[in-house]
Amino acid sequence: MKKIGSRWRALPAGKIAGIVLAVLRCDQRPGDLAGGNGVHRTTVTRWVREVVGLLAARVPRLDRALKKIARKGGGVVLLDGSLIRTRRRTGAENRKNYSGKHKCHGLLVIALTDDRGRLIWVSVVRPGRTSEITACRHDELTAKLRAAGLGAIADLGFVGLDDGGPDAEPAAITGYKAARNRPLTSGQKQANRALAAVRAPVEHGFAHLKNWRVLSKVRTDPKWATALVRALLVLTNREVAR
């Protein structure tokens, strides 16, 4: 409490933890929880932000997460992106959050999982108009994958991400994309099906993360959403590991 400059507690720590979990899991409004517990709405909001900040600090950096997978003998990680929907706000400031791909306002997050679908890292949350490849390049993902000796299996949205030389080992493995005048061959279709089967666990990882209903439509400041998603990653891994 002293380290983070927190104030005195009006309720026991266990009760506060239950209130915070109710906000994160069930998307309960802080005002509704405050009235039943004899505290103010801003107090509940402060508790949520403190717990989220402490949990988010436990998420490892990208390079350390990749090195940990490599030390355990892993050869690949699974890569995917997802849009977290937000409330539609008026004004020019919210236009960057509109995703033309999904036709809604939201925030883009990139995630890596191991081959079993266990989340190991999530990126900084970016505006919804950001492409998945642009987000990965901001994080220097391919360079860090090569440094760890790993490859990433991704869907067709990441075609073109790996810009390594012709002699370099592929850092991002994607399927084949058909063109209007160039249909896929039977071998390419079979390769796409095989990759889809391998990367299926990453969808399960995102599904576990989105079980937290607070992500169903983020109402808070988008700048705080990165800490929220990283805190939920820690809670999700604890829940899956039970």
Side-chain angles (χ1 to χ4, degrees):
M1 290 173 60
K2 292 181 180 180
K3 187 174 181 180
I4 63 175
S6 179
R7 305 175 187 177
W8 60 276
R9 300 294 192 213
L11 295 176
K15 186 73 171 180
I16 293 173
I19 292 172
V20 173
L21 286 175
V23 173
L24 300 179
R25 171 64 78 185
C26 304
D27 197 20
Q28 292 284 340
R29 299 295 183 94
D32 297 339
L33 294 169
N37 290 280
V39 295
H40 196 269
R41 176 186 58 81
T42 56
T43 302
V44 175
T45 301
R46 174 169 54 85
W47 288 342
V48 173
R49 289 182 177 267
E50 287 177 353
V51 173
V52 165
L54 292 171
L55 290 171
R58 297 174 60 89
V59 175
R61 295 186 332 193
L62 174 57
D63 53 350
R64 294 177 181 174
L66 294 175
K67 289 177 181 178
K68 184 177 180 180
I69 294 293
R71 284 197 303 267
K72 291 182 177 180
V76 296
V77 292
L78 306 180
L79 170 66
D80 201 4
S82 183
L83 190 79
I84 300 171
R85 297 191 64 179
T86 60
R87 287 192 306 173
R88 180 177 179 178
R89 295 179 175 87
T90 58
E93 286 297 320
N94 195 41
R95 291 177 185 172
K96 60 185 178 182
N97 292 332
Y98 182 77
S99 170
K101 177 181 177 181
H102 297 89
K103 308 299 181 187
C104 64
H105 288 77
L107 302 168
L108 176 69
V109 60
I110 304 295
L112 290 176
T113 73
D114 59 16
D115 55 0
R116 296 180 298 171
R118 182 184 174 92
L119 289 162
I120 59 174
W121 174 81
V122 291
S123 70
V124 173
V125 174
R126 294 184 170 88
R129 71 180 181 185
T130 309
S131 72
E132 294 169 332
I133 291 179
T134 300
C136 290
R137 286 177 176 164
H138 275 300
D139 292 320
E140 301 179 348
L141 182 60
T142 55
K144 291 176 181 177
L145 284 168
R146 287 195 173 92
L150 298 175
I153 298 176
D155 62 14
L156 297 179
F158 294 88
V159 172
L161 170 63
D162 193 355
D163 52 2
D167 299 328
E169 291 290 331
I173 304 167
T174 58
Y176 297 95
K177 185 180 290 187
R180 181 174 299 177
N181 57 350
R182 191 186 61 208
L184 297 180
T185 65
S186 59
Q188 290 172 335
K189 291 179 181 179
Q190 186 175 359
N192 281 353
R193 286 194 292 270
L195 282 175
V198 171
R199 62 173 301 277
V202 73
E203 304 289 350
H204 301 158
F206 264 121
H208 286 303
L209 185 65
K210 290 190 174 181
N211 279 338
W212 299 90
R213 293 186 61 186
V214 70
L215 292 182
S216 60
K217 207 165 193 179
V218 176
R219 300 186 185 89
T220 187
D221 184 356
K223 294 180 181 179
W224 187 68
T226 297
L228 175 61
V229 172
R230 289 179 172 174
L232 295 180
L233 181 148
V234 174
L235 291 174
T236 299
N237 286 340
R238 292 282 296 179
E239 185 179 44
V240 172
R242 285 190 306 178

